[in-house]
Amino acid sequence: GVVQVTARLPDSLSAELDAAAEQLKRSRADVIRQAIEYYLDDVEDLRCGIEALKDPADPVLDWAEVRDALLAAD
């Protein structure tokens, strides 16, 4: 299905949206849809990263040791 959403934008953001739509030769709705998809992908990536950081089973690495190991590998 499709859901219609209404949002109020400041004039400056609306102008940027119009400029982007014109440059991409897409409709405002297409640009907004794609922007939301990108944003939600980023939010999901961030959520996964935060969960990984909170995982107590995940080892904590010492930067100096990692740096020395990387330099020794060269």
Side-chain angles (χ1 to χ4, degrees), residues 32-74:
I32 291 168
R33 234 184 330 272
Q34 189 170 26
I36 292 171
E37 288 173 5
Y38 287 159
Y39 176 82
L40 293 177
D41 283 348
D42 287 348
V43 167
E44 178 62 16
D45 290 345
L46 183 59
R47 186 191 63 77
C48 290
I50 289 171
E51 281 184 15
L53 288 172
K54 290 181 176 178
D55 183 358
D58 202 24
V60 176
L61 302 176
D62 179 79
W63 168 241
E65 291 176 14
V66 172
R67 182 193 61 218
D68 293 345
L70 288 172
L71 291 174
D74 281 346

